[in-house]
Amino acid sequence: AIPPLWKTGDVVELELPMEVQRLLANPQVVQDRGKVALRRGPLIYCLEQTDLRRDLDEIILPRSAKLESHFEPQLLNGVVVITGEGRSDKLSNWGDQLYRPLAEARSEAVAIRAVPYYAWANRSQGKMMVWVPSD
């Protein structure tokens, strides 16, 4: 007789590596030119104001930024987040200037955390962004 292959209590675990990808929109989508969206596996991610110490509208995600994903069990009933270092182009301190030289642009490093798009708007009110300006 052939012994059964499965018994009560057997568990199968499947681990699929899913790299974080930056996506570009078709250039005909004018509003998304120069921007990227983040995808991990089948999920699209977004940035929420609640996770940032700078205004969301100031955030830039450089092409060189290293992005990592990890599971946060206490966040939104447990989600995989994407973290990395973005840049913040300060929109303040312009005064009444309409233009200024590029050399005067000031940016600083800022930690970013992206959450799955399906889970946004579950913590606090604030801005959300899927298409993030890139350099």
Side-chain angles (χ1 to χ4, degrees):
I2 298 174
L5 297 176
W6 298 97
K7 63 182 180 300
T8 303
D10 284 351
V11 176
V12 174
E13 290 185 21
L14 177 64
E15 188 173 318
L16 300 173
M18 291 187 277
E19 298 298 319
V20 176
Q21 294 180 316
R22 289 172 172 87
L23 302 177
L24 296 173
N26 184 305
Q28 293 183 38
V29 182
V30 177
Q31 294 82 355
D32 293 333
R33 284 185 190 162
K35 298 179 181 182
V36 295
L38 300 177
R39 177 174 68 185
R40 181 180 175 272
L43 299 180
I44 298 295
Y45 280 70
C46 65
L47 302 182
E48 287 190 280
Q49 186 62 62
T50 191
D51 292 317
L52 300 166
R53 61 181 176 85
R54 299 290 308 179
D55 189 299
L56 184 59
D57 292 331
E58 298 178 7
I59 300 301
I60 294 172
L61 185 58
R63 289 178 184 247
S64 61
K66 182 179 177 189
L67 300 173
E68 297 178 344
S69 60
H70 65 275
F71 183 68
E72 289 193 12
Q74 303 303 316
L75 180 66
L76 300 164
N77 295 319
V79 293
V80 173
V81 299
I82 297 171
T83 57
E85 185 177 282
R87 303 290 304 169
S88 170
D89 269 356
K90 296 180 181 182
L91 299 178
S92 58
N93 302 326
W94 275 75
D96 60 356
Q97 287 181 285
L98 184 56
Y99 306 103
R100 69 180 176 200
L102 181 60
E104 292 181 17
R106 295 176 184 90
S107 71
E108 64 182 33
V110 62
I112 61 164
R113 175 168 68 175
V115 298
Y117 178 75
Y118 74 80
W120 77 280
N122 282 292
R123 295 177 286 163
S124 63
Q125 289 187 344
K127 299 174 186 175
M128 180 275 292
M129 179 185 300
V130 172
W131 291 98
V132 183
S134 189
D135 58 2

